[in-house]
Amino acid sequence: MFKRRDILLGLGILLAAGLVFLLTRIPILNRKPKNLVRIYVNGQLYAEEALGKERDVTVSQPGGAENVVHLTENGFYMARSTCMNQLCVYQGDVTEENYAARFLGTHVLCLPNRVDVELVLEANAADPDAPDI
Amino acid sequence: MYSMGEIPGDPERFVETAGREAFLIKKTVFLFAILFCLLLCPFGRAEEKYSKNYFGAFDTVVQLIGYTDGQETFDRAADALMARLLEYHEAFDGYHSYPEVHNVWYLNRYAGQGPVEVPDCLFDLLSWCKEVSAQVPSKVNIAMGSVLSLWHEERERGLEDPSSAKLPDRAALEEAARHTDFDDVILDPENRTVFFADPELKLDLGAVAKGWAADQAQKDLMETMPSFLVSLGGNVYAGDAPADGRKHWGVSIQNPEGTVLSALQTDYLDVLYVDHMSVVTSGDYQRFYTVDGENYCHIIDPDTLMPAQNMRAVTVLCESSGLADYLSTALFLLPIDEGTALVESLPGVEALFCAMDGTVTMTEGMAAVARSHGATSGD
């Protein structure tokens, strides 16, 4: 009663489903570009940069506010800021190794200039008991 | 879809019993195949962690972390949250006016002259304050605005020009303190109006606004992105457990020796592992200014009209963020032993105290979720 083609089609569907399932579970294929830095200004995404080679990203805003984010191989720090308190510069560097020990975790914040810089890590790099906030 | 009778070409074939049976079996197999595919779908799209910081609401930074199926869902939840918080910020602001908002600033100016209609959120918050201060009597008094504004002015001036920083005038403080009876704030639920029976009275919602706002925001987030952690300038609410396999969020408690935006903070006071809970800290290190080498914090004892000096900080853990906010200020205004007794009399409330000399004590329920007592994110 089953034609060969019916069975083939059925198997084909199962195979396709299984394949999709497996593909979504293989970490290498789903891996986002390793460790990003996202820069937000006033809550809006300003830039997204992949880590890799050392460079500066300048965040210029109308009105003259300017922050310079220095990207390193495995993290970043605020190199310069026009803000009055310079707290963002004092917040030091953020890396995959030190973020768990930082009060602001993966972020460096410049409140006066409303700049928020975040190190976006691969999810499973996290220490499960490190505080989220 | 064709119904059986409409299959073109050879209708008789399907009337045949064997043919029909084969058709039904095929149909079943296809149905299962489709079901199988559908079942697998959720696994293909794991929830991911997103986070964002916003500025502006409540003059502090709002941090939102959540697990959801995409940036878009996260942004939608985050933007709705911020819109709501900005609305509250305007309504609860006692120091600025906004066009067409009858906020606290407006009340402080005009509610002594006659009833003022206020936004729903402000009316609801004031009603809530009446309830909570009746249920849990404490030194917290949101009608102490006239005293607090004297401190606020000197603090702002002192931060701008530290060399000329001074304390508020004692006589002015005492005069202001005569106009701080919360019973003089008359709420009319029918017309949603507020009236000050004492025209000199001023409101200051600093001790409750963020917590109450977090409670409202929390309800929205439970709908839009249930696995979340939100902090309104340190006023934290943790929703459903993080969707990465952990059972609780890790909420750090700042060491009073550090500053909020300092670099490395290797020595948290502690980390609490919680979900469906609010964590709120009141500390002398959050807002303060310095006069003649001495620090004066922003939490003022209504009895002495001076900054409270009972402890460095206190952290409250309970389900309601509004209550946690209110209690953290209430406890900050009490000696630690009296505060501990108060907390132990309240069901579902836990606290952690950091004494003046840095000694940390906590209630049993707090210890059960604290890293220092062996708790982890997976318990």
Side-chain angles (χ1 to χ4, degrees):
Chain A
M1 61 180 189
F2 274 106
K3 293 204 183 115
R4 216 174 113 79
R5 279 192 310 189
D6 292 330
I7 294 170
L8 277 179
L9 184 60
L11 283 177
I13 290 173
L14 288 179
L15 202 72
L19 218 73
V20 169
F21 176 69
L22 284 177
L23 282 176
T24 56
R25 307 227 116 191
I26 295 173
I28 289 170
L29 293 176
N30 294 302
R31 180 170 293 181
K32 287 183 291 185
K34 211 184 160 182
N35 297 357
L36 292 171
V37 168
R38 286 201 189 115
I39 302 173
Y40 296 91
V41 175
N42 236 332
Q44 300 301 316
L45 188 64
Y46 176 91
E48 188 172 270
E49 304 278 334
L51 290 183
K53 69 178 206 290
E54 298 235 353
R55 63 193 187 279
D56 283 341
V57 178
T58 304
V59 183
S60 302
Q61 297 181 61
E66 190 174 279
N67 293 64
V68 177
V69 182
H70 184 79
L71 306 185
T72 62
E73 254 171 56
N74 63 345
F76 72 91
Y77 58 85
M78 190 72 80
R80 286 194 303 282
S81 167
T82 55
C83 66
M84 58 176 229
N85 60 26
Q86 298 290 301
L87 284 172
C88 55
V89 177
Y90 300 143
Q91 283 164 43
D93 61 339
V94 182
T95 64
E96 196 171 323
E97 290 75 41
N98 81 359
Y99 80 94
R102 298 180 73 255
F103 195 74
L104 286 168
T106 51
H107 291 263
V108 163
L109 284 179
C110 178
L111 282 165
N113 291 354
R114 301 183 163 219
V115 173
D116 170 18
V117 192
E118 181 192 11
L119 179 64
V120 184
L121 296 159
E122 283 182 286
N124 49 7
D127 160 13
D129 292 326
D132 294 277
I133 212 161
Chain B
M1 279 285 271
Y2 292 109
S3 76
M4 283 188 293
E6 285 169 345
I7 290 181
D10 192 6
E12 291 87 347
R13 224 185 91 199
F14 286 91
V15 184
E16 226 182 299
T17 331
R20 174 170 284 187
E21 202 174 284
F23 182 77
L24 284 176
I25 292 173
K26 273 189 231 166
K27 217 163 113 177
T28 317
V29 169
F30 281 123
L31 208 69
F32 272 103
I34 290 166
L35 272 176
F36 186 60
C37 294
L38 285 177
L39 274 174
L40 290 176
C41 280
F43 295 104
R45 211 173 180 195
E47 303 220 313
E48 279 189 59
K49 186 177 182 178
Y50 298 88
S51 73
K52 209 174 202 182
N53 294 328
Y54 282 90
F55 307 92
F58 300 108
D59 298 321
T60 183
V61 55
V62 174
Q63 296 167 273
L64 177 66
I65 304 172
Y67 284 84
T68 185
D69 57 9
Q71 183 77 45
E72 238 175 80
T73 321
F74 177 82
D75 284 346
R76 223 176 305 130
D79 291 346
L81 168 77
M82 267 330 274
R84 191 187 261 276
L85 293 180
L86 284 172
E87 179 199 333
Y88 292 160
H89 167 76
E90 293 189 354
F92 303 158
D93 193 337
Y95 294 102
H96 304 95
S97 66
Y98 301 89
E100 310 197 10
V101 183
H102 290 177
N103 66 354
V104 172
W105 178 89
Y106 189 93
L107 285 182
N108 287 345
R109 225 156 219 242
Y110 301 112
Q113 298 165 20
V116 172
E117 208 180 323
V118 295
D120 281 347
C121 61
L122 181 50
F123 193 89
D124 291 343
L125 171 53
L126 292 175
S127 314
W128 180 84
C129 288
K130 289 273 186 193
E131 264 170 54
V132 76
S133 57
Q135 283 166 11
V136 189
S138 79
K139 284 188 180 184
V140 179
N141 178 6
I142 62 161
M144 216 171 67
S146 44
V147 172
L148 296 180
S149 68
L150 292 171
W151 280 101
H152 179 89
E153 280 162 31
E154 291 303 339
R155 188 170 61 246
E156 297 279 292
R157 208 170 299 153
L159 287 173
E160 210 153 281
D161 178 15
S163 62
S164 71
K166 60 181 179 56
L167 300 183
D169 178 56
R170 186 74 210 170
L173 283 175
E174 277 168 15
E175 170 57 26
R178 292 172 51 228
H179 307 284
T180 56
D181 189 348
F182 191 28
D183 289 338
D184 284 334
V185 177
I186 317 285
L187 304 181
D188 176 354
E190 205 130 293
N191 301 308
R192 318 269 303 168
T193 59
V194 181
F195 170 62
F196 294 170
D198 177 350
E200 299 294 311
L201 182 143
K202 283 189 171 69
L203 290 175
D204 184 309
L205 304 181
V208 291
K210 283 191 289 178
W212 188 86
D215 274 339
Q216 311 308 311
Q218 172 274 116
K219 289 179 205 157
D220 282 356
L221 286 167
M222 287 308 289
E223 302 283 322
T224 53
M225 185 174 65
S227 173
F228 73 92
L229 185 67
V230 66
S231 163
L232 316 188
N235 199 310
V236 175
Y237 192 96
D240 281 1
D244 57 9
R246 289 181 295 159
K247 288 188 177 140
H248 310 288
W249 295 94
V251 178
S252 60
I253 302 176
Q254 193 189 334
N255 190 328
E257 295 304 322
T259 57
V260 180
L261 298 177
S262 69
L264 278 179
Q265 184 81 27
T266 36
D267 52 345
Y268 306 111
L269 220 45
D270 216 322
V271 179
L272 307 177
Y273 297 105
V274 293
D275 56 292
H276 299 105
M277 279 285 168
S278 180
V279 179
V280 180
T281 299
S282 283
D284 64 5
Y285 56 87
Q286 292 166 324
R287 280 178 198 195
F288 67 88
Y289 75 124
T290 312
V291 181
D292 297 330
E294 190 115 11
N295 289 343
Y296 292 87
C297 78
H298 72 300
I299 304 173
I300 307 299
D301 187 324
D303 295 337
T304 62
L305 306 180
M306 297 294 284
Q309 289 182 308
N310 296 304
M311 61 195 78
R312 295 297 323 268
V314 55
T315 299
V316 176
L317 172 72
C318 68
E319 270 181 43
S320 154
S321 197
L323 186 62
D325 200 3
Y326 172 86
L327 282 175
S328 72
T329 310
L331 294 174
F332 194 84
L333 293 169
L334 287 176
I336 291 180
D337 53 340
E338 283 179 43
T340 309
L342 173 63
V343 170
E344 279 167 358
S345 75
L346 299 169
V349 179
E350 307 298 338
L352 178 152
F353 300 91
C354 178
M356 279 300 181
D357 63 2
T359 319
V360 173
T361 52
M362 62 186 93
T363 57
E364 244 175 76
M366 186 69 93
V369 299
R371 177 157 79 180
S372 60
H373 288 65
T376 68
S377 63
D379 289 338

